[in-house]
Amino acid sequence: KLISLAEKEIDYQQAELDRKAEEERLRKEEEARLMAQRSEYAAFDNQFRGIATASSVDDANQKIDAALGKFASPDVPVLIIISQVDGINDYDKPTTAAQFLNYLKDVKKYGFELASMKTDGSGKVTELELLKKW
């Protein structure tokens, strides 16, 4: 009986170790996915910031053309979150990618943070959601 109980305890402890190892593996995968997403978002944020701080109109226009190449079309919707309450977003008037990028060029200020991005099968952006920083 004692051997049987000991074997059951060993099996239980091994199953617990396996479960914890799997949880850790899944946590690391999720962390890596989030880091990759953040770095992708950071690249877009930096590109938008570059348009806003361009040294000349020609420089800004070149940066806008480069940025528009990452969008499925210049008419991709850009949604700006102006407030979040209990998980519900309140949006500013929708705009397009081209209008938003030209807005950045005109105001020379980037006061947003990329919240989410949808892409198509070819990796082109089809929708952008930005969080307004106050």
Side-chain angles (χ1 to χ4, degrees), residues 41 44-45 48 71 77-84 89-92 95-97 100-101 103-104 110-117 127-134:
Y41 286 3
F44 271 88
D45 277 332
F48 297 157
F71 289 88
V78 175
L79 306 171
I80 299 172
I81 302 168
I82 55 176
S83 74
Q84 293 178 317
N89 295 335
D90 187 20
Y91 295 95
D92 198 357
T95 188
T96 65
F100 177 71
L101 296 174
Y103 165 80
L104 293 177
Y110 180 64
F112 304 92
E113 180 181 313
L114 191 51
S116 72
M117 175 173 51
E127 183 179 292
L128 202 60
E129 217 175 38
L130 299 165
L131 179 61
K132 174 98 171 150
K133 292 190 214 174
W134 297 100

